[in-house]
Amino acid sequence: ISLGVAHSHVLSSSSPSSESLKKTIIDRCEAFIQKNKSSSANNCQKIWSAFEQAFVGRDPCNVPMEAYDPLIHTVIQDPVCNRMLFWSKTKKIAHDFTEKRDCFLTLEDTLVGFVMNELTWCGKEESNETFTTGCPGWTDCVNNTVRSFWNRASAAFADAACGDVTAMLNGSIATPFSPTSVFATIEVKRFKAAKIKSLSVVLVTKENEGTTCDDPSLQDLQKEIDPKLKYNCKAVPE
Ligand code: N1C
């Protein structure tokens, strides 16, 4: 079965100079569609246009996540029940794992996530230009171009979550369920008990140290989710 998803390691992902952001995005989009025949209904030129309208001509600190609604609505993406992997503060470990185990899929294995992964972009007020340098960083302002994109894409990914959902969290930090993370502020809040059966936390720990499944932040996570949803947690050494 073709599932409309690809693992990023199998496709090239060059990094762009400011003139070639459009080319990078269209090339990645086309490469994704090549590898994932079920996403062939997507039109990369249309995706670029919907993406661009979100931020071109805008103050890069004043792009709300809703600016990416047209992009999200343009992309055709099949939901993949039981195999969705969310993560927080474990980007590298989570993707190393999904590369080896073809069964789990992160947002970066979907078209939009794959296309925008590791890119920086922004516009400027009263300009038609697209920039890839000098853009505000993740924490410089709340509604920055890149952060709002990940918030919106993460919201769509969580909205689509169904069946048994997995979250890989970092057991080597003080607060594995970080209240300011995209996972806590956007994704968990969108989990729908009508579609999701269970949430399994995989707490990645260093051998015999760090936090355990009894961690207070994980108790907070349990309180946040609908009680109809089954919850379990397993500490796994890295
Ligand atoms: O804030 P986080 O982790 O909890 O966000 C991770 C969470 C995942 O489940 C993803 O679905 O939110 C989604 N997501 C991405 O897919 C993503 N790709 C790249 C959120 N952020 C993403 N990034 C970058 O990671 C983003 O540009 C920012 O720098 C980090 C946030 O990751 P985090 O704090 O470890």
Side-chain angles (χ1 to χ4, degrees), residues 3-5 32 38-39 42 75-80 109-113 160:
L3 289 147
V5 281
F32 185 93
S38 73
S39 44
N42 284 290
V75 176
I76 302 157
Q77 181 80 49
D78 298 341
V80 189
D109 300 309
T110 69
L111 199 156
V112 274

Side-chain angles (χ1 to χ4, degrees), residues 92-93 96 100 170 172 203-207 235-238:
K92 174 113 180 38
I93 313 166
D96 285 350
K100 281 184 233 132
N170 191 333
S172 300
L203 186 66
V204 182
T205 54
K206 299 250 157 65
E207 207 79 54
V236 175
E238 189 177 345

Side-chain angles (χ1 to χ4, degrees), residues 50-226:
F51 170 66
E52 172 183 61
Q53 69 74 43
F55 65 91
V56 170
R58 288 208 195 205
D59 172 353
C61 274
N62 196 10
V63 175
M65 62 188 268
E66 294 75 25
Y68 291 99
D69 286 355
L71 170 67
I72 297 301
H73 295 135
T74 299
V75 176
I76 302 157
Q77 181 80 49
D78 298 341
V80 189
C81 297
N82 305 318
R83 309 198 298 138
M84 289 169 85
L85 180 66
F86 294 83
W87 53 266
S88 187
K89 318 296 170 193
T90 53
K91 189 175 184 189
K92 174 113 180 38
I93 313 166
H95 292 106
D96 285 350
F97 176 78
T98 57
E99 276 182 22
K100 281 184 233 132
R101 301 279 200 99
D102 224 24
C103 48
F104 283 104
L105 300 158
T106 65
L107 176 54
E108 289 72 25
D109 300 309
T110 69
L111 199 156
V112 274
F114 175 79
V115 169
M116 308 310 171
N117 196 24
E118 314 272 88
L119 299 182
T120 299
W121 64 90
C122 63
K124 196 164 92 177
E125 268 181 306
E126 283 159 60
S127 161
N128 308 326
E129 276 181 282
T130 296
F131 302 89
T132 55
T133 55
C135 297
W138 190 258
T139 56
D140 289 340
C141 45
V142 182
N143 284 325
N144 72 70
T145 322
V146 173
R147 185 166 175 167
S148 291
F149 165 78
W150 286 109
N151 284 345
R152 185 63 188 88
S154 300
F157 191 59
D159 284 343
C162 43
D164 297 315
V165 163
T166 307
M168 197 175 272
L169 304 182
N170 191 333
S172 300
I173 57 175
T175 315
F177 181 60
S178 163
T180 58
S181 64
V182 175
F183 180 62
T185 59
I186 309 271
E187 293 176 330
V188 168
K189 293 190 158 54
R190 300 248 184 173
F191 285 169
K192 292 176 191 66
K195 292 205 293 178
I196 303 178
K197 265 203 314 208
S198 70
L199 172 66
S200 300
V201 169
V202 174
L203 186 66
V204 182
T205 54
K206 299 250 157 65
E207 207 79 54
N208 297 320
E209 61 167 322
T211 39
T212 67
C213 283
D214 304 324
D215 183 79
S217 85
L218 296 177
Q219 317 264 330
D220 295 341
L221 170 55
Q222 264 191 84
K223 278 179 233 148
E224 279 250 0
I225 62 171
D226 192 301

Side-chain angles (χ1 to χ4, degrees), residues 6-16 20-36 99 108-119:
H7 290 297
S8 39
H9 68 294
V10 293
L11 302 169
S12 71
S13 49
S14 56
S15 112
S20 65
L21 181 72
K22 178 176 180 180
K23 186 178 184 317
T24 302
I25 287 180
I26 291 191
D27 285 355
R28 285 187 181 187
C29 176
E30 281 169 355
F32 185 93
I33 290 170
Q34 275 294 312
K35 289 272 173 191
N36 299 271
E99 276 182 22
E108 289 72 25
D109 300 309
T110 69
L111 199 156
V112 274
F114 175 79
V115 169
M116 308 310 171
N117 196 24
E118 314 272 88
L119 299 182

